[in-house]
Each structure stands twice: as C-alpha cells, then as structure tokens.
Amino acid sequence: MDNVLSVIPLGGVEEIGMNMTVMEYGEDMIIVDAGLMFPEEDMLGVDFVIPDFTYVIENREKVRAIFLTHGHEDHVGALPFLLREIRVPIYGTPLTLGLVKEKLKEHNLEDIDLRSIRPRDIIREGEFIVEPIRVTHSIVDGVAYGIRTPVGLVVHTGDFKLDPTPVDGQLMDFHKFSEYGENGTLLLLSDSTNAERGGFTFSEKEVRRAFEDIFSEAKGRIIIATFASNIHRIQQVIDVAVMFSRKVILSGRSMVANAQIALDLGYLRIPENTWLKLDELKNLNDNEVVIVTTGSQGEPMSVLSRIATDEHKQIKIKENDVVILSAKVIPGNEHSIGRIINHLFRRGANVIYEKVSEIHVSGHASKEELKLMLNLVRPKYFMPVHGEYRHKFYHARLADKIGIPKEHIFNLENGDVLEISEHEARKAGTVTSGRVFVDGKGVGDVEGMVLRDRRRLAHDGIVIVIITIEKLSGSVVSGPEIISRGFIFEDASQDVLTDVKDLVYLTLSAMTPELIADKALVQAKVRSVLKKYLRNTMERKPMIMPLIFEV
Amino acid sequence: MDNVLSVIPLGGVEEIGMNMTVMEYGEDMIIVDAGLMFPEEDMLGVDFVIPDFTYVIENREKVRAIFLTHGHEDHVGALPFLLREIRVPIYGTPLTLGLVKEKLKEHNLEDIDLRSIRPRDIIREGEFIVEPIRVTHSIVDGVAYGIRTPVGLVVHTGDFKLDPTPVDGQLMDFHKFSEYGENGTLLLLSDSTNAERGGFTFSEKEVRRAFEDIFSEAKGRIIIATFASNIHRIQQVIDVAVMFSRKVILSGRSMVANAQIALDLGYLRIPENTWLKLDELKNLNDNEVVIVTTGSQGEPMSVLSRIATDEHKQIKIKENDVVILSAKVIPGNEHSIGRIINHLFRRGANVIYEKVSEIHVSGHASKEELKLMLNLVRPKYFMPVHGEYRHKFYHARLADKIGIPKEHIFNLENGDVLEISEHEARKAGTVTSGRVFVDGKGVGDVEGMVLRDRRRLAHDGIVIVIITIEKLSGSVVSGPEIISRGFIFEDASQDVLTDVKDLVYLTLSAMTPELIADKALVQAKVRSVLKKYLRNTMERKPMIMPLIFEV
C-alpha cells in the first residue's frame, strides 16, 4: 500500500492502563497519551508499569508531538520516562498540563515544551492536523482528538462517558462528533472499559445525593477517600460540606497538589475559609470536619491505611466517625480494601463503600453510550482500545451489531500495526512492545525510580526476606532470613546484614499483633524500611520481596 | 457463672470459609461443621487452609459428635484432618454424608461412624438435644440446627437463603423457626455472607431463564463451568439440555463424583441416555452437546483452564462454542477469571459470565431475609457468623435495627469464648485458634497432603525458583535459579539440581509465548511439575514458590 497510515497501540489494549497509541505517516509520527498501569498482584515488588516504547525511541527523529487526552495516570504517567529519551512538544488542556507540570517537576524535567490547547483548536504537526474535542469523564478538562491525516480522519475518544449533567457544566461536544460522522470518518478508536456493562453510566451528579444523605445523618467526622485526580468528586464534597457547614481538610501529598493546581486554574471552586490545613483539625468540632484523602484502593502505606491502623499521627478513628470509600474497586484490590474496611469497623467507624451505597459512579461509557458514539461518528474502520481482550471483544460486538462489517473491526494487541489507506485497512506485522516495570513511587523517592529491565535486575538484584511469625503473639519465630541474587550481600560488610535483620525486628516489634496478622501491611513496611536503608548505605535499589509465613 | 454454655467459633468469623463452631457444656462438647478455606493470594504456595483445632484435640474426651449443616467444602473440608485426631460420630443429611464419604475414602479414613439424619429428627448427645431444620441454599439437603442445652435453645442457621421456589421443591422450614421464636430462643448464630446486600436474594430458578435464552440461541457446543457441589445448578443445566435435545457430559473428577452421589441418592434426576461419557463427544454434533465442568474460579490447572489454553486433549475451543461461567467470582479471583475469559474469547468462543448475564444467583440470604430470620427466631442473644468483620458488622446492625440490644450482640473473632447462661452472656477469654495451611489437593494427591505447621516448614522447607523470561519470544533469559531453605539441596546429589533445572526448561519449552505470557499459568505448571518430582525422588514435600520475571 502507498500513502499508508500506521496506527500502533503500544499499551492499553491488553490491559486497563498504560494507554499509548502511535500514529505514523511517512516521516511523521504523533503519539496519543503515554500512561502507566498499577501492578497486578503477581508483579511482585513493582510500583508501576509503563509501556515499552522502544519503537518510539528508534524512530525519535520522526516524532512530532505528544497529545494528551486527560490528566489521569493511565494516560500521562509514563511521560517522565519517555521525556528522558525524547524531547517533543506536548499538547494538552490547561488542567492536564497543570497536573503533568507537577509530575515533571518531581522528575527534575525542565524546559519541556508544554502547549496549552482548548477544544476545537486546530494544531498542525507534520502531516497531521489535530483537533481536540470536549468529552466528559471522571476528571475535568478531558478531550478526544479528531486527527486529519492524508488518508482520512481518525477519531480517538480518549476516556469518556456521556454525562448529561457534568459537575462543571461542560457538556460533551456532540456536535463535533456528529460533524465528523457527517463528513466521513476513516477510523474510530474508542474506550472499551465498560463495554461489558448494559445501559448508561450514571451522571457524576448522582453521587451528590448519596453524599447529602450521609452528611445529613453524620454526627462525627466524615473521612472520604477517593482518587486525587477526581476533581469533580472533590468539588462535590466541597459543595456538600459547605451546605452542611463543615470545613474541608485535604490529606495526602497528591491530593493537596492536585487540588491546588485545579484551584489555581479555576477548575475547583472553594469558598473562602472552607479549605483548612490538617493542623487546624484540633480546633474544630467533629461535626465540622470533612477529611478528603487518598488510599481508596487499600494501599498499605496510604493515608487511609495509616488511619485505619492507628498509625496516623493526627487522625485517630473514633466512635461516630464516618469513612466513605468513594471510588471504584480496581479488580485485584478487593482483599486490600476489605482489610482496610475491617480495620476501620473494628475501631468503631461507620464505613460506607461501593457495595453498600451509591457513593461512586464510573467515568466510562456503558453499552448504550458506546453505541451512540459509534452511530454519531459512523467510522469506516473501528479499533476498540482501553481494555483487556474481553472488554474489546464486547465493544467489537457492539460495532458489529450497529452494522460495521466484521472485517473492518480490528481487535489489536500491544505492538500490532494497523496499516490503513483510503480504501483498505489490515493488520501488518508488529513492533517491539511489552511492559516495563518501575520501582519507587514514594514521596521524594523520584531519584529512586528505576526501570526494571534486564540490566537493572542483574545490577541491583533481588532481596528476598523470609520471616516466620507466630500469629497470636506477633513474635518472630524464625528469620529474617535474607536471600539475595544479583545484589550480593557477601560484598557488603557483616554490619549491613546485621543491620538489615535488626531493622526487620524493629519494624515488627513496633507493630501490634493485630497489625502483624495483616500480612500485606507487614510486607509493605519491611519493604519500605529496607529499601530506604539499602539506598542510603549501599546506593543500591534491589527489588525487595518479603515473604511472611504464619505459624 | 454456674451452668454455663460456652460457644466458641474456631473458624468462619474472620473470613468467608473454614466454618467451625464448638459448643461446650460441662463435660460435653459438640461441633457444628469443620470446613476449609481456599487461600488468599498472599498465602503463597498453599492449597487450602483449615482452622487450628488444638482446643478440640485438647478436650478430645469431651467431644460427643460433629453435626454438619451441608456438604460445601467450607463446612466439611477440614473433617479428614480432624478425624485423624479424634473419632466421633458425624451427623448429616444423606447428600452431605454422601459427599463426606467420598472425601473420607480419598483420605483412606475408614470405619467412621456416619449417621444419617432427616429434618426434624431429634438427636441426643450428652447434654445437647439437636434437631436439624430444612433450609434452602446453593447445595441441596442443607439444614440448620436447633440445639437444646441446659441453659436454653441455640439456633445455628448454617448457610441459607429463603428460596421461595427451590429447584427440588424442598422449602425452608419456616414453621420450625417460627416455633423456636414462639417458645423462646436464647442464642442465634446466623449466616452473614450477604449482610452488606440489600433486598432479597433471587431464587435459584431465576438462573433457568438465562440458561433458556442462551441455549435457544447457541449454534455450537455449550460449556458450563460451575462448582461441583452445586447440584441445583447441575439439575437446571440437565433440565434445559433435555428441553433443547442436548446431551450432557460432565468433566472433572469432583464434578463426576458429586453428580454420581447425588444421582444415587435421588437428589439429581437425569433422564436415560442424557448423561454421556466424554469419549462419546466425538459421536455428537456440536449443537447436541453441553459440557459441565469445574474451574469457574480460573484455577490454572482446572479443566476449564486447560480448555482455554488448548491443553485439554478432547476439548478444543472452536468458533460458535458458548462458554458460561455460572458461579460467583470469589473476591481475589478476578484476575485469574479474567485471564481465562480472555483466552477463551481469543480462541473464538462466546463467553458469558456474571458481569454480562444473569447466570448466577447467590446461595446466601440478603438483608431482608436476614431480618426475617431474626424476627422469626427472636433470639435473646445474637452472634453473626460466616463472614469477615465487615459482614458481621452489617449483620449486627440489622439485629440492632430490629430491636436486639447492642450488649446482646456478640461480634466474636476466632477462638473467642462466649459464655452464656439463662440470664447472662459475656465474652470470656479465648482459646487457641488460627489458620493451618494445607498443601496438596491434586487428584490422587492425598498422601501428599501436609499440614504446614512450624515443624513441617522446618522439615520440608521452601524452594524458591527464580526464572526470568523474555516475554515476546517466551525464552528463558536467566535462571531457573533454585534457592532453598529448610529443604537443603546441598544434601541432594548434583543430579537432582540438574534435573530440576531441566524440568523447568522442559515445562517452559512446551508452552507457547501466549501461554508463557500468562504468569499465573507458568507458576502453576512449574509448581506442579517440581512437586511431583521432589516427592518421587526425595520424598520431600517442600513449599514451592516460582517467581517469574519478565523482560
């Protein structure tokens, strides 16, 4: 084929997460999104995962720009790693860039060419003419992209839902999608996350009713855990807090940073004297307080987890506290979240979570919305993205149902190349793809971030800590035994080994039997302590895997 | 307190699973259920978990009998281990005992005194007078128990739901529960599994409609995965298969064994020439076949998993196959199940699962049913059982709402002792409790079962296998490195070590890159191969933990 456009998903089509799509025509290449994924439980000792973008690096001279759809980690989280290798302009809406800027600052990446765009702007980069389109999603200021190429128009929805009553009043730009359909769209890439789910996804505003019910009944403090990026949700908490004369305290570094960015850019409206600092907690009555925090996925070192296990200095759970987990349960996190819920209940809090109340709605379109998108845009070819095989399968089936021929639907995997011309489209080979593991996401831990590729594993190695604990007493009955590969303790002085053992003992002896029974917590703590120690004393960053056995 | 009854949960009140309750009065003790739990993902290298019944062993001369509520593994699975230590009569309904018998045979436990009972029978054991009561649940022939003690009546519901239209027509014995309430009940122990869930649980019969829809549309074979113990579900599959002129093939050892027991005892009705053997598959057209199998939780070595990964000898997935996962997703198994679904879709099957169709209903009572039970029985004291803290919390709240005083509600943990007399109840100390890990549940693997207590771990040890795989090619780039503790390879000949490495290589080279990308599968296979080898050559049963790294 001559004059052919290649569309190559490098991530996001075998998983929920690490979204990244490359479009290439002749000597020009653009990239839509560069996201990360949080690890699945079998990716031991890894903090997050990014796409292998070898193909982009190998074609560095072709890359014209990166276009971001919105500020979620699964769409922008791999940027710092990509920008270590290539420097190109990055386009995004103001909030998206605000969040990215903060992230780049942490990584000491300066002088990045960030270009702020508004919906319906027109950007030319090489042979591509790109137009952002307003969509509604669980983060504000999201866009889809209409991308004009020499072979035809490609529409990439990014993440979206059709929220008829968005919190910020910014409706989805139906008219533009409709215009694309009217004028002819060659290829649509669309969000498959909820393609298994019938009907319509509820509006974000529905959550407000649940909040109002809970606030009207609460006698004590209200603690709400959600994603730091969910500015809509934070806005609703603030609105309802004001309604019930409560002050809002934001806790957690990312929560505070995101809210400040959204506030500065005008995406968050907070009446004066409503957002207080954590230090002011002591001056407030319980029924005047709302605390908004992260940790909704049960992450063992998060603020919510520390609150749940009495390890937070300023916030101790007491009778009449209401804790709301206002976020979806990411599959695989059920046990960690269940753990936190049990800890909180045991300490007397009333815990409200997705299973027992309507305190969360999804940010992704369900079947009826996906069909509407397909019918509006009427693409000649269709590629479901943003999902595992089964999500994309269901999305493909919807496309089939509304009349797109089966041979025009491409359910690709990461690295597959879709070659497309005006008259033809076909899967044509693959490029290098895969998952790269990244370690070290803690606060101030940015220098510690390492890519877990082969060389690194060989260099920094792996440390396995085996501890056997007697559950009832919480005492260590055997171990810690330290096993290392790649990372050689034999090179180190005997002192280091003794220190490591002591550190593990100290960590465990500071924990109550109840907490020690929580193995996920023990693992997280041991890992965190050893990681810091080994970095400081030996300048090594091995993968650390504590294995805890109970007797 | 004089004349005091002690009620001691040894399992099932900190988890869903390993249900076991001890009741003790003077010199008499009875036990209700002795179940196992399937391991959570952090219990590496363990097949299942049973309660620590040290307290029962220490009081062996007091134990009069074990009463079983129904035949599910989480209620009877620990019996073989308990019966190695004590021999007492076991009471259960015919199907429950049928299933138990089969299990005891596998463990070579003979001459066990199994006593068949019917609802409303009266059994006296020491100071206890026990009456089984018919309940409806996801397995047939389940009972609750009314237990008359010198201090008053204790009612233990076992697992139940209020199914108004049970598949076998055996309604719950409302009248007996009502009589207990009328005459006065001292203590109720009731199933908390679904206490977070509003409304009523649907009748098992609702599943039939979904089956009928799927069967009427299916052009090819239908493969249904469910729990082998769900006789109701199997009955419904058979009924609908007959309606659509399909033959039924049962696959999987436990599936066949359970169905045969249920058939022999009259709990399963199968018209002649309907249940065929797997060998006859080749003589049937695709639209004449229903295959019922296990593996609904995505277990890597199950029949369904082997079908999904082209490793089943007789059953290969083809276009037009419909696969139905007709079972709940046990929390923690989302990833394993998602994995299987993706494999099946990729091979052309249409996969139908809980999220996309009504092909499963729960076997446990929801809030309205739980309140009805509380109102019927009107107990003076209440102990929620069968759940984690949060489930029991919600159940306790229901009891509070319907008027049971807070101080009469006991949310106990495993090993807590509830002392109760006619006029008083209180938490009084604890007995030894905990979780014991069991390894080795494979077919014919019964001699291999070992209790993972401290001595065993020290004796048989742990073997860690580290393998680094290149994802794209599926080739091993480093390892297998073998690390062992307790189990000392240094004692073994160099041959063994070489053999182990060869075995791992062989196992991996027999797998396609697609399967190698599935780490859970690689882990399961390596474990299974090494386990067998080490048992045969060295008579050792170490815990085997394969760690797979991808580059």
Side-chain angles (χ1 to χ4, degrees), chain B residues 14-28:
Chain B
E14 293 183 33
E15 56 274 305
I16 302 279
M18 57 176 241
N19 296 285
M20 183 169 182
T21 310
V22 166
M23 297 190 198
E24 188 179 356
Y25 184 89
E27 290 308 303
D28 296 314

PDB file of all heavy atoms in Angstrom, chain B residues 14-28:
ATOM      1  N   GLU B  14     -13.704 -14.661  60.923  1.00  0.00           N
ATOM      2  CA  GLU B  14     -12.746 -13.639  60.461  1.00  0.00           C
ATOM      3  C   GLU B  14     -12.536 -13.779  58.963  1.00  0.00           C
ATOM      4  O   GLU B  14     -11.643 -13.163  58.397  1.00  0.00           O
ATOM      5  CB  GLU B  14     -11.397 -13.805  61.170  1.00  0.00           C
ATOM      6  CG  GLU B  14     -11.458 -13.502  62.645  1.00  0.00           C
ATOM      7  CD  GLU B  14     -10.073 -13.618  63.290  1.00  0.00           C
ATOM      8  OE1 GLU B  14      -9.068 -13.322  62.618  1.00  0.00           O
ATOM      9  OE2 GLU B  14     -10.016 -14.015  64.465  1.00  0.00           O
ATOM     10  N   GLU B  15     -13.336 -14.628  58.334  1.00  0.00           N
ATOM     11  CA  GLU B  15     -13.135 -14.936  56.927  1.00  0.00           C
ATOM     12  C   GLU B  15     -14.411 -15.561  56.387  1.00  0.00           C
ATOM     13  O   GLU B  15     -15.266 -15.990  57.139  1.00  0.00           O
ATOM     14  CB  GLU B  15     -11.968 -15.923  56.764  1.00  0.00           C
ATOM     15  CG  GLU B  15     -12.116 -17.235  57.546  1.00  0.00           C
ATOM     16  CD  GLU B  15     -11.596 -17.106  58.976  1.00  0.00           C
ATOM     17  OE1 GLU B  15     -10.442 -16.716  59.139  1.00  0.00           O
ATOM     18  OE2 GLU B  15     -12.353 -17.382  59.934  1.00  0.00           O
ATOM     19  N   ILE B  16     -14.497 -15.594  55.047  1.00  0.00           N
ATOM     20  CA  ILE B  16     -15.520 -16.429  54.410  1.00  0.00           C
ATOM     21  C   ILE B  16     -14.845 -17.775  54.188  1.00  0.00           C
ATOM     22  O   ILE B  16     -13.961 -17.898  53.349  1.00  0.00           O
ATOM     23  CB  ILE B  16     -15.959 -15.818  53.064  1.00  0.00           C
ATOM     24  CG1 ILE B  16     -16.507 -14.404  53.234  1.00  0.00           C
ATOM     25  CG2 ILE B  16     -16.940 -16.745  52.339  1.00  0.00           C
ATOM     26  CD1 ILE B  16     -17.936 -14.308  53.692  1.00  0.00           C
ATOM     27  N   GLY B  17     -15.209 -18.755  54.983  1.00  0.00           N
ATOM     28  CA  GLY B  17     -14.578 -20.067  54.852  1.00  0.00           C
ATOM     29  C   GLY B  17     -14.210 -20.643  56.194  1.00  0.00           C
ATOM     30  O   GLY B  17     -14.372 -19.996  57.235  1.00  0.00           O
ATOM     31  N   MET B  18     -13.702 -21.878  56.192  1.00  0.00           N
ATOM     32  CA  MET B  18     -13.278 -22.661  57.369  1.00  0.00           C
ATOM     33  C   MET B  18     -14.215 -22.498  58.568  1.00  0.00           C
ATOM     34  O   MET B  18     -13.790 -22.246  59.683  1.00  0.00           O
ATOM     35  CB  MET B  18     -11.804 -22.401  57.752  1.00  0.00           C
ATOM     36  CG  MET B  18     -11.342 -21.014  58.056  1.00  0.00           C
ATOM     37  SD  MET B  18      -9.565 -21.039  58.594  1.00  0.00           S
ATOM     38  CE  MET B  18      -9.689 -20.349  60.261  1.00  0.00           C
ATOM     39  N   ASN B  19     -15.516 -22.749  58.307  1.00  0.00           N
ATOM     40  CA  ASN B  19     -16.505 -22.612  59.368  1.00  0.00           C
ATOM     41  C   ASN B  19     -16.421 -23.759  60.361  1.00  0.00           C
ATOM     42  O   ASN B  19     -16.373 -24.922  59.968  1.00  0.00           O
ATOM     43  CB  ASN B  19     -17.903 -22.557  58.754  1.00  0.00           C
ATOM     44  CG  ASN B  19     -18.048 -21.325  57.892  1.00  0.00           C
ATOM     45  OD1 ASN B  19     -18.188 -20.230  58.391  1.00  0.00           O
ATOM     46  ND2 ASN B  19     -17.948 -21.513  56.576  1.00  0.00           N
ATOM     47  N   MET B  20     -16.416 -23.413  61.620  1.00  0.00           N
ATOM     48  CA  MET B  20     -16.350 -24.429  62.672  1.00  0.00           C
ATOM     49  C   MET B  20     -16.741 -23.774  63.991  1.00  0.00           C
ATOM     50  O   MET B  20     -16.146 -22.772  64.384  1.00  0.00           O
ATOM     51  CB  MET B  20     -14.924 -24.987  62.754  1.00  0.00           C
ATOM     52  CG  MET B  20     -14.762 -26.113  63.767  1.00  0.00           C
ATOM     53  SD  MET B  20     -13.128 -26.900  63.534  1.00  0.00           S
ATOM     54  CE  MET B  20     -13.230 -28.192  64.757  1.00  0.00           C
ATOM     55  N   THR B  21     -17.718 -24.354  64.644  1.00  0.00           N
ATOM     56  CA  THR B  21     -18.169 -23.799  65.920  1.00  0.00           C
ATOM     57  C   THR B  21     -18.219 -24.907  66.960  1.00  0.00           C
ATOM     58  O   THR B  21     -18.723 -25.992  66.678  1.00  0.00           O
ATOM     59  CB  THR B  21     -19.581 -23.196  65.791  1.00  0.00           C
ATOM     60  OG1 THR B  21     -19.606 -22.327  64.671  1.00  0.00           O
ATOM     61  CG2 THR B  21     -19.961 -22.404  67.037  1.00  0.00           C
ATOM     62  N   VAL B  22     -17.677 -24.610  68.129  1.00  0.00           N
ATOM     63  CA  VAL B  22     -17.690 -25.570  69.227  1.00  0.00           C
ATOM     64  C   VAL B  22     -18.710 -25.109  70.259  1.00  0.00           C
ATOM     65  O   VAL B  22     -18.806 -23.915  70.553  1.00  0.00           O
ATOM     66  CB  VAL B  22     -16.289 -25.646  69.875  1.00  0.00           C
ATOM     67  CG1 VAL B  22     -16.347 -26.363  71.217  1.00  0.00           C
ATOM     68  CG2 VAL B  22     -15.304 -26.320  68.933  1.00  0.00           C
ATOM     69  N   MET B  23     -19.511 -26.057  70.789  1.00  0.00           N
ATOM     70  CA  MET B  23     -20.390 -25.748  71.923  1.00  0.00           C
ATOM     71  C   MET B  23     -20.054 -26.710  73.040  1.00  0.00           C
ATOM     72  O   MET B  23     -19.949 -27.918  72.820  1.00  0.00           O
ATOM     73  CB  MET B  23     -21.847 -25.888  71.510  1.00  0.00           C
ATOM     74  CG  MET B  23     -22.197 -24.887  70.415  1.00  0.00           C
ATOM     75  SD  MET B  23     -23.941 -24.805  70.073  1.00  0.00           S
ATOM     76  CE  MET B  23     -23.863 -24.021  68.456  1.00  0.00           C
ATOM     77  N   GLU B  24     -19.896 -26.142  74.220  1.00  0.00           N
ATOM     78  CA  GLU B  24     -19.370 -26.924  75.336  1.00  0.00           C
ATOM     79  C   GLU B  24     -20.226 -26.642  76.573  1.00  0.00           C
ATOM     80  O   GLU B  24     -20.511 -25.485  76.904  1.00  0.00           O
ATOM     81  CB  GLU B  24     -17.923 -26.463  75.580  1.00  0.00           C
ATOM     82  CG  GLU B  24     -17.158 -27.295  76.570  1.00  0.00           C
ATOM     83  CD  GLU B  24     -15.721 -26.778  76.724  1.00  0.00           C
ATOM     84  OE1 GLU B  24     -15.322 -25.831  75.997  1.00  0.00           O
ATOM     85  OE2 GLU B  24     -15.006 -27.297  77.585  1.00  0.00           O
ATOM     86  N   TYR B  25     -20.646 -27.720  77.190  1.00  0.00           N
ATOM     87  CA  TYR B  25     -21.391 -27.572  78.456  1.00  0.00           C
ATOM     88  C   TYR B  25     -20.907 -28.662  79.383  1.00  0.00           C
ATOM     89  O   TYR B  25     -21.072 -29.845  79.091  1.00  0.00           O
ATOM     90  CB  TYR B  25     -22.896 -27.681  78.222  1.00  0.00           C
ATOM     91  CG  TYR B  25     -23.695 -27.439  79.483  1.00  0.00           C
ATOM     92  CD1 TYR B  25     -24.096 -26.146  79.831  1.00  0.00           C
ATOM     93  CD2 TYR B  25     -24.001 -28.491  80.343  1.00  0.00           C
ATOM     94  CE1 TYR B  25     -24.804 -25.914  80.993  1.00  0.00           C
ATOM     95  CE2 TYR B  25     -24.704 -28.266  81.514  1.00  0.00           C
ATOM     96  CZ  TYR B  25     -25.111 -26.971  81.842  1.00  0.00           C
ATOM     97  OH  TYR B  25     -25.794 -26.726  83.007  1.00  0.00           O
ATOM     98  N   GLY B  26     -20.331 -28.279  80.516  1.00  0.00           N
ATOM     99  CA  GLY B  26     -19.816 -29.266  81.465  1.00  0.00           C
ATOM    100  C   GLY B  26     -18.841 -30.194  80.778  1.00  0.00           C
ATOM    101  O   GLY B  26     -17.862 -29.743  80.165  1.00  0.00           O
ATOM    102  N   GLU B  27     -19.133 -31.474  80.832  1.00  0.00           N
ATOM    103  CA  GLU B  27     -18.222 -32.467  80.263  1.00  0.00           C
ATOM    104  C   GLU B  27     -18.565 -32.846  78.824  1.00  0.00           C
ATOM    105  O   GLU B  27     -18.028 -33.816  78.301  1.00  0.00           O
ATOM    106  CB  GLU B  27     -18.192 -33.726  81.140  1.00  0.00           C
ATOM    107  CG  GLU B  27     -17.510 -33.500  82.487  1.00  0.00           C
ATOM    108  CD  GLU B  27     -16.128 -32.877  82.327  1.00  0.00           C
ATOM    109  OE1 GLU B  27     -15.278 -33.459  81.632  1.00  0.00           O
ATOM    110  OE2 GLU B  27     -15.907 -31.766  82.870  1.00  0.00           O
ATOM    111  N   ASP B  28     -19.487 -32.091  78.205  1.00  0.00           N
ATOM    112  CA  ASP B  28     -19.910 -32.422  76.848  1.00  0.00           C
ATOM    113  C   ASP B  28     -19.563 -31.326  75.856  1.00  0.00           C
ATOM    114  O   ASP B  28     -19.673 -30.138  76.166  1.00  0.00           O
ATOM    115  CB  ASP B  28     -21.424 -32.661  76.813  1.00  0.00           C
ATOM    116  CG  ASP B  28     -21.824 -33.858  77.642  1.00  0.00           C
ATOM    117  OD1 ASP B  28     -21.153 -34.911  77.517  1.00  0.00           O
ATOM    118  OD2 ASP B  28     -22.789 -33.747  78.437  1.00  0.00           O
TER     119      ASP B  28
END
